[in-house]
Amino acid sequence: MIINILAAGGTAAAENQFGLQQALKEGGIISQSVFTILVLMSVVSFYILFSKLFEQQKIINQAKRMRAGFWSSNSLREGSAKLEKNSAYKQLVDDGLAAQDQHAQLTDPVEAHDWLHGSLARSEAAINSKLGGGLAFLATVGATAPFIGLFGTVVGIYRALIKIGASGDPSIDKVAGPVGEALIMTALGLVVAVPAVLAYNWLQRRNKSIAEDLSAFSNDVLGFLASNGKVRPSIGNTATKAPVKPAGATATAGQAGGVQTRA
């Protein structure tokens, strides 16, 4: 029975003359090269997608831990010690503290605010540049993969037509098979391009959100440094509360109300 099953499978494989393997065989070295390029593009695209997702999630978790206890510290150095060693937020704090120390050593007078702002901006740009690494490849794959697949299709159809012309049999059963096999390359190009484009847009959106958080934190650090610790974000919940009126203002309001009543 096993022999019969294997024989049936071998017969089915032999009858399948219009599969991917047959298409690559008919297309020759050009179709095989195009197929290899598209597969490599797809593998690298998914590697970039998952690696960037891991990197982004790491910074998002760092932001949560930073909000939990950083601003409750008495100084930036104490808060920096609470952060992870390779944290993006720790890098911003350390660069800000280093810029503050460097400003004291400058012989040419420069505004402290401008010097600190420039140093924090460079640090923030370096983090964003690292987050954006690899996204250009995804954009390139999304833009070029369909055309690479189309090139394989054109070459495949050209070879198929030459073969049909040489055989002298232009019937539909002779044309449909080779042409359909050549169109597989276009389908492969789209299969590679669409995930790359979706991944690029998704990662870009997440990077934008992370960049906004880093920019806000950088401004908070700048305000802390420029005010010697007097300006810092509020800690804990920032629920909206009704403003407390001064006692004098309340009394005055009461007196005014009384006069209006008597009137």
Side-chain angles (χ1 to χ4, degrees):
M1 183 176 181
I2 297 177
I3 296 176
N4 294 332
I5 294 175
L6 293 177
T11 303
E15 293 175 353
N16 185 16
Q17 300 178 358
F18 307 111
L20 178 60
Q21 184 176 0
Q22 184 66 20
L24 295 176
K25 183 179 179 180
E26 291 291 336
I29 187 65
I30 295 180
S31 295
Q32 295 169 10
S33 300
V34 170
F35 176 78
T36 302
I37 292 172
L38 291 176
V39 169
L40 289 176
M41 281 184 167
S42 180
V43 171
V44 176
S45 296
F46 278 101
Y47 171 77
I48 292 175
L49 170 62
F50 291 115
S51 63
K52 287 300 172 182
L53 283 176
F54 175 79
E55 187 176 356
Q56 290 174 343
Q57 190 60 45
K58 183 178 179 181
I59 295 182
I60 292 174
N61 293 335
Q62 291 171 359
K64 294 178 181 178
R65 288 189 287 269
M66 179 274 299
R67 297 189 192 99
F70 178 81
W71 291 112
S72 61
S73 305
N74 296 323
S75 65
L76 287 183
R77 298 187 188 277
E78 180 182 341
S80 177
K82 296 180 179 180
L83 300 177
E84 299 177 13
K85 181 178 180 181
N86 297 323
S87 172
Y89 293 89
K90 180 179 177 62
Q91 177 180 333
L92 283 173
V93 175
D94 292 343
D95 289 344
L97 293 172
Q100 187 179 47
D101 296 337
Q102 293 169 357
H103 181 265
Q105 301 175 3
L106 296 178
T107 57
D108 188 21
V110 178
E111 288 290 337
H113 177 273
D114 295 338
W115 180 260
L116 293 174
H117 182 270
S119 299
L120 289 172
R122 287 194 300 271
S123 180
E124 185 181 341
I127 297 172
N128 291 331
S129 177
K130 184 178 180 182
L131 283 173
L135 297 188
F137 181 84
L138 293 179
T140 302
V141 170
T144 60
F147 297 102
I148 295 175
L150 184 61
F151 173 75
T153 295
V154 171
V155 173
I157 292 177
Y158 174 72
R159 292 173 63 92
L161 292 177
I162 290 178
K163 185 177 179 180
I164 292 170
S167 64
D169 187 5
S171 58
I172 189 63
D173 58 331
K174 298 295 183 182
V175 174
V179 173
E181 291 168 356
L183 291 175
I184 292 177
M185 291 301 166
T186 300
L188 288 176
L190 294 175
V191 168
V192 173
V194 171
V197 173
L198 295 177
Y200 173 81
N201 292 332
W202 187 30
L203 294 176
Q204 279 283 60
R205 181 64 187 89
R206 287 167 62 91
N207 278 348
K208 182 179 179 182
S209 177
I210 293 173
E212 292 173 354
D213 289 341
L214 290 173
S215 179
F217 181 74
S218 177
N219 289 334
D220 293 338
V221 172
L222 178 60
F224 189 97
L225 291 172
S227 64
N228 291 326
K230 296 180 181 179
V231 176
R232 67 171 68 194
S234 58
I235 304 173
N237 297 328
T238 55
T240 304
K241 298 180 180 180
V244 180
K245 296 181 179 180
T250 305
T252 303
Q255 294 173 0
V259 173
Q260 290 175 358
T261 303
R262 286 194 295 272

